[in-house]
Amino acid sequence: MKFRIALVTLGLGLAAAGCTPAGTGLMPDPSEWAVTWIDGAALPEGSDASVSLANGEIVFRGGCNSFMGLRRDPASGVISGPAQLGATMMACPQAQMALDDALGAALRRVDGTAIPVGQKEGSIALTSGGRAVVVLAPI
């Protein structure tokens, strides 16, 4: 299932990775999310990228391919995964592949969650070293 991403003009607070720590109730299981922001940039017009969480398994659908291997412990809220994520290997147009590359690179660094500053209510940030690398909005 594909989701159209609502693009949002990002404020400097998020660009500077402004986040507040997240509790364990963030990102309920099961849930569906739209990817709105990767490494400081809003997704291009017409991009589709989404995330689903079920039974602790997080699956990302990028511009063309899917990424799996990250898990979220519902008790602690800790996100963990292997050094190398699993991914499908479909060939797609260059713009979709670029989105996949950016999303995959960001996901390899994820080590936590936070509440992003200045974003749509209910959004969450996937963080690396306390800095936002991917922002998700509820669908």
Side-chain angles (χ1 to χ4, degrees):
M1 180 183 285
K2 288 192 167 190
F3 300 97
R4 182 113 179 129
I5 297 171
L7 297 176
V8 178
T9 302
L10 298 172
L12 292 177
L14 187 57
C19 297
T20 58
T24 58
L26 198 63
M27 200 173 188
D29 186 349
S31 59
E32 293 282 332
W33 303 82
V35 177
T36 61
W37 186 89
I38 301 171
D39 278 332
L43 270 60
E45 183 72 40
S47 296
D48 291 324
S50 62
V51 176
S52 62
L53 173 66
N55 301 317
E57 179 82 21
I58 303 172
V59 176
F60 291 82
R61 288 170 293 285
C64 177
N65 290 288
S66 296
F67 300 90
M68 46 264 158
L70 289 177
R71 295 196 56 78
R72 182 172 186 282
D73 181 329
S76 67
V78 172
I79 292 179
S80 63
Q84 185 63 36
L85 295 175
T88 59
M89 305 267 306
M90 296 187 297
C92 295
Q94 182 58 34
Q96 291 175 310
M97 296 302 290
L99 174 59
D100 283 353
D101 290 345
L103 182 58
L107 293 175
R108 284 181 197 79
R109 300 189 318 266
V110 169
D111 60 12
T113 58
I115 300 169
V117 175
Q119 293 300 297
K120 177 181 175 181
E121 186 174 339
S123 292
I124 62 170
L126 301 181
T127 61
S128 175
R131 294 187 54 86
V133 293
V134 177
V135 174
L136 309 173
I139 294 178

